[in-house]
Amino acid sequence: MALPLAIFAAGAALSLGGSIYAAKQANKELKRQQLALFDQARLVEEQGEFQAIETGKQFESLLGEQKLSIATSGAEFEGSVMNILDKTIKDKEVNVAMIRKNAQAEANYLKNQAQQIRKKRKGLMANAIISSVSGIGQSATSFMKVNPNSQNNL
């Protein structure tokens, strides 16, 4: 009777060990994904800021060209000429703000995905152990049904 019980105990230990190993491997992969998402979010923010700065420079260049054209034409910097310059400045502000807003929205989405993975990782090991112990309990019940005299040995 001791041999079947020893075989059962060894199987239970292997099952628990296998579950923990699998959980550790899954945790490593999820952590890699999580870090990749955080890195990607950081890059999106940096790229958005770079694009906003470049767009601002383009509008400043356009504004300079407009001022030069107005000055060489002999027109006064008033009325409709000032409206054109004001519109260019407002367009710059709107475009730069929109680029930053879109980059931040995309980065927030990526960060949120990374946070979801972090939550998933937190419960991974506990779930593996609970699942394995539950399986061992079911196996023990089955073992006792097949070997009713072994209850004294448990």
Side-chain angles (χ1 to χ4, degrees):
M1 285 294 173
L3 184 60
L5 181 59
I7 292 171
F8 168 75
L14 284 173
S15 174
L16 181 59
S19 294
I20 291 172
Y21 178 78
K24 282 184 177 182
Q25 292 304 107
N27 189 41
K28 281 182 187 178
E29 177 58 26
L30 289 173
K31 185 174 184 175
R32 187 191 62 73
Q33 290 176 11
Q34 176 189 352
L35 293 175
L37 285 168
F38 276 128
D39 285 345
Q40 190 176 357
R42 181 184 49 78
L43 290 173
V44 164
E45 288 172 334
E46 290 173 3
Q47 185 180 24
E49 187 58 29
F50 176 79
Q51 189 177 6
I53 290 169
E54 288 300 308
T55 299
K57 287 179 183 178
Q58 290 172 355
F59 270 98
E60 289 299 325
S61 178
L62 174 62
L63 189 61
E65 289 172 14
Q66 288 173 334
K67 286 179 181 177
L68 181 62
S69 293
I70 292 167
T72 57
S73 72
E76 297 289 325
F77 282 93
E78 60 186 20
S80 62
V81 170
M82 288 304 293
N83 290 341
I84 291 170
L85 297 176
D86 285 344
K87 178 154 179 20
T88 301
I89 292 169
K90 287 178 183 163
D91 286 348
K92 170 192 166 193
E93 292 169 357
V94 168
N95 284 331
V96 167
M98 188 60 69
I99 289 168
R100 286 187 173 127
K101 180 181 175 186
N102 289 341
Q104 192 59 53
E106 185 178 349
N108 287 343
Y109 174 76
L110 293 167
K111 289 176 185 177
N112 186 45
Q113 285 183 314
Q115 293 294 345
Q116 294 302 317
I117 289 174
R118 177 179 284 164
K119 288 178 186 176
K120 190 175 185 179
R121 284 181 53 221
K122 281 186 176 183
L124 198 61
M125 189 63 70
N127 287 341
I129 292 170
I130 290 168
S131 175
S132 184
V133 169
S134 173
I136 291 169
Q138 290 173 352
S139 296
T141 302
S142 297
F143 178 80
M144 285 189 265
K145 285 181 184 176
V146 172
N147 300 299
N149 295 333
S150 65
Q151 290 181 0
N152 298 332
N153 296 329
L154 289 178

